Amino acid sequence: MDEPLRISIVDDDASVRRALDRLCRSAGYIVLAYESAEAFLEFAVDPIDCLILDVHLPGLSGLQLQQHLHDLGKHIPIVFVTAFEDDSTRRQAIAMGALAFLQKPLDNEQLLDVIETTCRHSG
């Protein structure tokens, strides 16, 4: 049997964090959730198999966190989530290596499918 995936969630909306946490735990994943990019950078524990990352965050944005991780040489598979449809942001995230760019409210099955098909096989 495969090891459980280690998922980190970064979203400033507590209700979204809780919902994603419950969803990922129900799928058998190990989950750590953070309210900001800064909290993630300070407290995240390696290894991380997948990062579910909100685009719009106070302080460092999701895209800035993606760039920072890239600059540090950390190649964590990222699934962006956003309530704001923005093709420019989507293109930038994907160009920097994001696995997916999903619109809120999230389709739970689509999110779990992205995690399983991309994050499980990216390592």
Side-chain angles (χ1 to χ4, degrees):
M1 182 169 163
D2 289 332
E3 288 289 315
L5 289 175
R6 294 161 306 267
I7 308 294
S8 287
I9 298 164
V10 179
D11 197 303
D12 61 315
D13 184 324
S15 63
V16 171
R17 270 197 322 276
R18 282 192 303 273
L20 288 172
D21 184 283
R22 281 193 304 271
L23 174 66
C24 290
R25 286 180 194 276
S26 74
Y29 305 144
I30 297 167
V31 181
L32 292 172
Y34 307 91
E35 71 279 357
S36 68
E38 291 83 359
F40 172 80
L41 289 170
E42 185 173 350
F43 299 110
V45 178
D46 285 331
I48 299 166
D49 296 308
C50 185
L51 174 58
I52 300 172
L53 181 58
D54 190 10
V55 172
H56 296 281
L57 296 166
L60 279 179
S61 72
L63 289 175
Q64 289 169 322
L65 176 58
Q66 180 188 33
Q67 181 65 56
H68 184 71
L69 293 170
H70 184 267
D71 292 347
L72 292 173
K74 292 183 176 262
H75 302 288
I76 301 169
I78 297 175
V79 175
F80 274 100
V81 296
T82 186
F84 306 97
E85 185 61 38
D86 177 353
D87 286 336
S88 172
T89 302
R90 175 190 306 269
R91 282 192 302 275
Q92 185 178 351
I94 299 297
M96 281 290 301
L99 300 174
F101 195 96
L102 305 177
Q103 186 76 25
K104 293 178 185 176
L106 296 171
D107 176 322
N108 290 346
E109 292 304 314
Q110 179 186 24
L111 176 62
L112 293 176
D113 184 55
V114 167
I115 292 170
E116 277 299 312
T117 58
T118 58
C119 296
R120 183 163 306 279
H121 303 292
S122 67

